[in-house]
Amino acid sequence: MKKTDVLIIGGSAAGMVAAMSGKTSWADKSFTLVKKQKEVMVPCGIPYIFGTLDSSQQNIMPVDNMLSKIGVDTLVNEVVSISKNTKTVTLKDGEQISYNKLVIATGSTPVKPKWLKGTELDHVFVIPKDRAYLDEMKNQISELKKVVVVGAGFIGVEFSDELKKQGHDVTLIEKETSILYSAFDEEIASRIAEILESRGVKIITGNGIREVVGDSKVQGVKLENGDLLHADAVILSMGYEPNTKLAEDSGIYVDESGFIAVDEYMRTHEKDVFAIGDCAQKRDFITRKRISTMLASTACAEARVAGMNLFNIHVVKTFSGTIGIYSTAIGEYGFGTAGITESRAKEEDVSVVTGFFEGIDHHPGNLPGTHKQQVKLIVAKYSGVIVGGEVIGGTSAGELTNVIGLAIQNRMSVNSLLISQIGTHPCLTASPAGYPLIKAAEIIAAKMKNPK
């Protein structure tokens, strides 16, 4: 029987980072990672293998190469059962591995709703992190013209744009009143929709899908209002569900939403068993409510916390909640959001003050590559603490969104932001005199000083 100090189940971002962080923190311990597939996809890069990237080979995460350099063993296999009492796992081929500490990073699987008729038809696809599936999906879609994408979250938006660039006739359907509904407030979401439509993607909002129609192959989709749209292929981008069957079957506690319950050190209810990534329970950083946010960046943060705390609890190294920091790009435009939106704050009874400022991301504005940069900042009304922010501009929007995320995580107030020292350069940032994030904070400070 193989023995290892730390066994990690899952080879995507969370598992890889847990192995790297753990081995760095506990160099004298042996680490073994088990993954189902030899080649692991970069999760956030999946939409781009359908357009920008030539093939899935250009979207491979170098798991084996990175882990072998630091002395972590990797196995291509599948864990089919866990014995908590004997601290062993059984692999698909019957081999057993004993462990001291176990990290579960089994990820998530795409949702294919049971209520939706027609999902068994040919040319109905979901979006798993499975290279073989995605390669076959790409091959089939390349021969088809009209594609309907259902679900206008980040993946649905990115898929729509990539497929349109390849010459497909693309319609994006969203049940909510705007695309990227949970991530952006209406004034930002509507601008993103305008950009996507200008690139040729048809968008339908406020009208969900009722049925996929066809005989053996997709012929169209029927919407909730009864409209029938012709389609040659349907891509379901309707979210993901935690892959926790292995944990549940092994007697590890899974909550009513299907996530493995964890504490702030990513420990499960079972001694010496950790869970991280999409399969692990999440709480909102602001509201403390349980949420289903699934992000590679969040998974990696959890993985670092778990890795550092495997053999000794470092009291200050905890995961204190999911902020939800998203960013994406459509052509030359970048968008990002962190924390909660204004509309979500209202739903949660959080009184907020907002500031919206539009500037430019270079100075002077005549420099090549200059974009308008719009920032919306959201602050708790009675404390002045930053709880959210949204950005639209050029490619620098992603890093500016990360700055907002850091401000939220460190519970900065609007006054702290106003006196923040920043570095600027004409070719890289907005002017120090008109830095959109700080200007939005000034607007909020004025509103808080002189409330109407």
Side-chain angles (χ1 to χ4, degrees), residues 139-289:
N139 183 56
Q140 290 187 37
I141 287 179
S142 67
E143 303 297 325
L144 305 172
K145 180 62 177 176
K146 290 183 177 292
V147 181
V148 169
V149 179
V150 183
F154 281 89
I155 294 176
V157 166
E158 290 163 357
F159 251 91
S160 298
D161 190 53
E162 290 298 302
L163 291 170
K164 182 59 188 177
K165 287 194 293 187
Q166 293 301 103
H168 296 282
D169 183 342
V170 182
T171 302
L172 177 61
I173 297 172
E174 172 55 53
K175 182 181 178 69
E176 300 291 352
T177 54
S178 64
I179 68 171
L180 301 168
Y181 178 82
S182 62
F184 293 96
D185 286 308
E186 173 61 30
E187 64 264 45
I188 301 290
S190 61
R191 175 63 180 137
I192 300 172
E194 288 173 4
I195 293 169
L196 197 57
E197 287 177 321
S198 73
R199 294 167 66 83
V201 176
K202 304 181 189 73
I203 298 175
I204 297 173
T205 56
N207 193 7
I209 185 174
R210 178 185 295 172
E211 181 182 355
V212 182
V213 297
D215 295 327
S216 59
K217 296 180 180 179
V218 170
Q219 294 177 325
V221 297
K222 184 178 288 186
L223 304 183
E224 289 178 340
N225 68 353
D227 286 352
L228 185 65
L229 303 180
H230 174 66
D232 301 312
V234 174
I235 298 175
L236 302 177
S237 179
M238 302 174 75
Y240 291 77
E241 54 191 8
N243 185 14
T244 53
K245 188 176 187 303
L246 174 65
E248 190 170 19
D249 289 348
S250 303
I252 296 167
Y253 180 70
V254 172
D255 70 22
E256 62 272 22
S257 300
F259 292 88
I260 302 171
V262 292
D263 64 13
E264 291 187 343
Y265 301 101
M266 308 313 299
R267 298 177 297 185
T268 70
H269 286 196
E270 303 297 330
K271 181 175 174 58
D272 297 326
V273 179
F274 296 71
I276 55 176
D278 289 358
C279 66
Q281 195 180 70
K282 307 281 186 292
R283 287 191 180 273
D284 187 275
F285 185 87
I286 304 297
T287 68
R288 311 309 302 162
K289 285 187 174 181

Side-chain angles (χ1 to χ4, degrees), residues 59-116:
N59 189 50
I60 300 299
M61 195 155 49
V63 177
D64 293 335
N65 184 46
M66 295 182 72
L67 295 186
S68 65
K69 289 180 178 179
I70 58 173
V72 175
D73 293 333
T74 58
L75 298 175
V76 179
N77 212 316
E78 181 181 357
V79 175
V80 295
S81 67
I82 301 168
S83 173
K84 301 177 297 180
N85 296 331
T86 62
K87 299 181 81 169
T88 59
V89 302
T90 301
L91 304 183
K92 194 172 185 178
D93 60 7
E95 182 183 357
Q96 290 190 317
I97 304 175
S98 69
Y99 63 83
N100 186 354
K101 305 289 183 179
L102 178 67
V103 181
I104 302 173
T106 47
S108 59
T109 54
V111 171
K112 183 183 282 188
K114 294 180 180 179
W115 54 262
L116 182 59

Side-chain angles (χ1 to χ4, degrees), residues 13-28:
M16 181 181 71
V17 173
M20 294 173 66
S21 179
K23 188 64 176 176
T24 300
S25 300
W26 313 99
D28 60 327

